[in-house]
Amino acid sequence: MTDAPRGTEPGRRRINVTFSPPTPNGDLHLGHLSGPVLGSDVCARAQKIHGHDVAFGTSTDDNQTYVVTTAERLGTDPESLIRHAFDSVTKTLELAGVDVDLFERPDSDYTAFVKDFFTGLWRHGAFDRREVDLPYDAASDTYKAEAFVTGRCPTCLAHARAGVCEACGLYNLPGALLSVAGSASALPTRRVPIWVLDLERHRTMLTDWYRSSDVRLRPDLDHVVAQSLAGPLPYIPVTYPGTWGITVDWDAPNDLPQAINAWPEIYVGHVYWLRRAREGRQAGCDELVQFIGIDNGFYNAFVYVALSLLAARHGLPVDLPRTRTLTNQYYLLEGRKFSTSKGDVRWAGEFLESVGRDRTRFVLSLTSPELQQSEFSEPVAAFTLATRFDAPLKTVAETLTATAAGRRVDAEPSTWWRTALAASRRRFEDAYRLETFSIRKAAEALALHLEVLALRCADLDADDPGDICGALQFLWTLRTLAWPLTPDLCEQVSNAFGAPSTVGAPPLLAELDHRPPGAFTGLAADRIPSSGARDGAPAA
């Protein structure tokens, strides 16, 4: 794991970007979009303007038990729910301009890849056969696990489902939850053999990996790692008795079918889908950037790291790139966590349709729960957009067009503008650098860029070439600096100077000091991306 680029061009790195595969039990909500989904898209775009070779892909998480529980609640069958959710999520990604190279559903090739991966590790003795206590429903003759089991977290006492507690981020086994009357956690338990990944057995391997890594974790994930390592590491079920998901036949105990736990499966999915996303390009990558909610933090920090290291140790076809996991906290809706399974949502597609693509990307980035929980409020979002996006853009469109239409950047910007350009560029580049990446910082940089431009445009000296050219150059830089965040606005700026389209052709930071190619033709206020408008670049 090294910073040294291994790509074919000097300084050009192969970077893979992914986000946690959405569970297909509904459309994306604003919690998804404000966190891993938008974060990963802005990051992928930011690495493209640096000139890196970026692969960006994921899939739906069809084998999660949440699919079954939601289908039961809605009175439909899981496959119908998955198909409808996949179509909805695909449309929302397009509306949001999330420029994925690949977003697909698991298929037979994927299933075979996952089964071969886990079977390979099982044959090398990476997993242990262990008898565990699982809630057992005698009426249906089924064992209950994961989404089927709710109770109270034995660590923090929050309401939790079996697996990882969304409140504290720590792992709990289905039989370890404090039972709640009327739920599966109150069922009697029965001892049953399953296959597990004993993380404590691999503690040295995990601690050595963290000790050798110079990648700084965000505080919430760092806390999960430190708290988990402070005591014995748990064992994680690799299989559960049941048929939902990808079944295996490893010494099937008592003729019980065993299905791979969908949470460990996600790591193998990342390997498979990112490899697919790189088809036709140089294989492998120098750096992997994963965007996740903190509720997935434990799996990423321990289970996925262990699986990757064990796979490399036993010769399975995986890379060990420099890995960066960027977490986010929860986006709250009236004090509650957004939750598809509970129905506490504001659907992202509906918001995008009513607010517009760039405006949605801007306000969700500015309020993203990157490092701490944040609250979504319709009135606050509307006020923020009106004052920090719409108003300055309208001022720029009206005043700069009236003052500078037909002018070229044919003189050196004044000292004031050169200083402002350097300051704004530093802010954007700090937000886009992987070591300090932040969509909140990027959105704040854009808001300040627009604010400064609007204020200065109201007082431009039309007879001073340095002032006019400085203002035009300051606007022109948005074609590159704002492209990861608001691609439609960037296309409008590109059109205003007769520059090539940025659709499918990211503008590069290396060319940022170049002057625009043509005269400024003006920005039409009614063409600036606003409520319900999706001008410029079509969603990929």
Side-chain angles (χ1 to χ4, degrees):
M1 298 183 186
T2 174
D3 280 323
R6 299 192 297 271
T8 57
E9 300 175 29
R12 189 169 191 250
R13 288 185 289 165
R14 297 162 296 165
I15 298 176
N16 287 352
V17 179
T18 189
F19 59 89
S20 296
T23 302
N25 59 347
D27 195 2
L28 296 177
H29 54 62
L30 292 185
H32 296 130
L33 195 57
S34 69
V37 178
L38 190 54
S40 59
D41 182 63
V42 174
C43 181
R45 289 172 176 269
Q47 303 320 302
K48 288 177 182 178
I49 68 173
H50 279 87
H52 297 312
D53 175 13
V54 180
F56 178 26
T58 190
S59 72
T60 48
D61 191 13
D62 290 12
N63 296 322
Q64 280 288 353
T65 51
Y66 286 91
V67 174
V68 181
T69 57
T70 302
E72 290 176 351
R73 177 169 57 84
L74 297 177
T76 187
D77 63 278
E79 178 59 27
S80 297
L81 177 63
I82 292 171
R83 285 199 305 268
H84 183 267
F86 178 79
D87 292 342
S88 298
V89 171
T90 300
K91 179 182 177 182
T92 296
L93 293 176
E94 292 171 349
L95 284 173
V98 175
D99 194 16
V100 287
D101 296 307
L102 176 148
F103 179 72
E104 295 186 11
R105 280 192 60 188
D107 54 16
S108 58
D109 288 341
Y110 167 85
T111 298
F113 184 87
V114 171
K115 183 178 288 191
D116 288 347
F117 178 93
F118 281 100
T119 299
L121 286 185
W122 171 76
R123 285 175 177 155
H124 282 96
F127 308 137
D128 299 303
R129 189 173 183 271
R130 185 164 301 183
E131 292 194 350
V132 301
D133 293 319
L134 294 180
Y136 176 73
D137 182 6
S140 60
D141 189 26
T142 57
Y143 292 89
K144 301 297 183 181
E146 301 296 329
F148 291 104
V149 185
T150 60
R152 290 285 170 171
C153 173
T155 301
C156 72
L157 300 182
H159 177 272
R161 286 182 170 84
V164 167
C165 173
E166 293 184 350
C168 67
L170 299 180
Y171 189 81
N172 56 71
L173 286 163
L177 286 173
L178 299 177
S179 63
V180 172
S183 71
S185 60
L187 289 170
T189 60
R190 178 179 287 190
R191 183 150 291 222
V192 61
I194 62 173
W195 290 95
V196 304
L197 173 63
D198 188 346
L199 293 174
E200 184 63 27
R201 175 155 76 96
H202 304 297
R203 172 182 282 269
T204 300
M205 179 182 71
L206 291 165
T207 54
D208 286 348
W209 188 86
Y210 277 108
R211 190 177 297 114
S212 64
S213 174
D214 63 349
V215 175
R216 294 183 63 183
L217 303 177
R218 284 184 169 171
D220 48 9
L221 187 58
D222 187 60
H223 176 72
V224 168
V225 170
Q227 192 169 356
S228 298
L229 288 174
L233 292 171
Y235 60 84
I236 306 299
V238 174
T239 66
Y240 279 118
T243 57
W244 180 255
I246 299 173
T247 57
V248 293
D249 54 1
W250 313 333
D251 296 343
N254 305 324
D255 295 324
L256 282 174
Q258 297 273 324
I260 296 171
N261 182 355
W263 289 103
E265 179 194 326
I266 289 174
Y267 163 73
V268 189
H270 286 334
V271 174
Y272 178 83
W273 296 115
L274 288 169
R275 188 171 298 174
R276 284 274 309 276
R278 281 208 165 270
E279 287 179 354
R281 292 187 275 175
Q282 186 181 16
C285 75
D286 304 307
E287 185 143 4
L288 168 64
V289 189
Q290 309 173 111
F291 284 80
I292 63 170
I294 189 56
D295 51 338
N296 292 333
F298 180 87
Y299 289 107
N300 279 75
F302 289 100
V303 180
Y304 302 170
V305 171
L307 289 174
S308 65
L309 295 175
L310 287 168
R313 174 186 294 177
H314 296 301
L316 274 65
V318 300
D319 297 314
L320 285 180
R322 197 166 193 263
T323 300
R324 196 176 301 275
T325 300
L326 299 182
T327 53
N328 62 264
Q329 279 288 341
Y330 301 127
Y331 212 30
L332 303 179
L333 180 66
E334 298 178 353
R336 306 183 308 277
K337 176 182 176 290
F338 277 79
S339 173
T340 303
S341 59
K342 296 179 184 177
D344 291 336
V345 293
R346 175 68 159 95
W347 297 115
E350 295 173 355
F351 191 78
L352 283 157
E353 290 280 12
S354 63
V355 173
R357 175 160 66 188
D358 271 10
R359 297 172 84 242
T360 295
R361 290 171 67 98
F362 172 80
V363 75
L364 293 186
S365 294
L366 195 63
T367 60
S368 173
E370 283 184 319
L371 300 180
Q372 61 185 24
Q373 293 180 350
S374 59
E375 183 91 21
F376 172 76
S377 162
E378 297 272 4
V380 172
F383 179 79
T384 300
L385 283 168
T387 57
R388 306 207 69 190
F389 192 77
D390 300 342
L393 273 175
K394 186 173 185 293
T395 298
V396 171
E398 292 175 348
T399 60
L400 192 57
T401 299
T403 306
R407 302 283 291 268
R408 289 177 176 270
V409 180
D410 52 10
E412 186 72 14
S414 68
T415 300
W416 193 96
W417 282 112
R418 290 200 303 273
T419 301
L421 281 164
S424 188
R425 178 170 179 172
R426 282 195 300 271
R427 289 187 68 102
F428 275 103
E429 290 186 340
D430 181 61
Y432 293 151
R433 192 177 301 112
L434 285 177
E435 292 77 11
T436 53
F437 179 81
S438 168
I439 59 173
R440 288 189 72 133
K441 288 182 180 179
E444 184 63 29
L446 175 57
L448 288 172
H449 196 105
L450 294 175
E451 179 183 318
V452 167
L453 185 58
L455 289 171
R456 187 72 176 183
C457 280
D459 195 32
L460 278 179
D461 184 351
D463 297 324
D464 182 352
D467 203 22
I468 293 295
C469 291
L472 292 176
Q473 187 73 24
F474 200 74
L475 173 65
W476 166 250
T477 61
L478 283 180
R479 178 179 183 264
T480 301
L481 294 175
W483 186 77
L485 197 66
T486 51
D488 294 345
L489 171 60
C490 300
E491 188 71 356
Q492 291 297 313
V493 173
S494 191
N495 292 337
F497 288 97
S501 172
T502 60
V503 179
L508 299 177
L509 284 174
E511 302 169 356
L512 195 59
D513 293 328
H514 296 181
R515 294 177 177 180
F520 177 58
T521 60
L523 289 173
D526 61 353
R527 292 289 295 164
I528 296 297
S530 59
S531 179
R534 295 190 301 278
D535 298 320

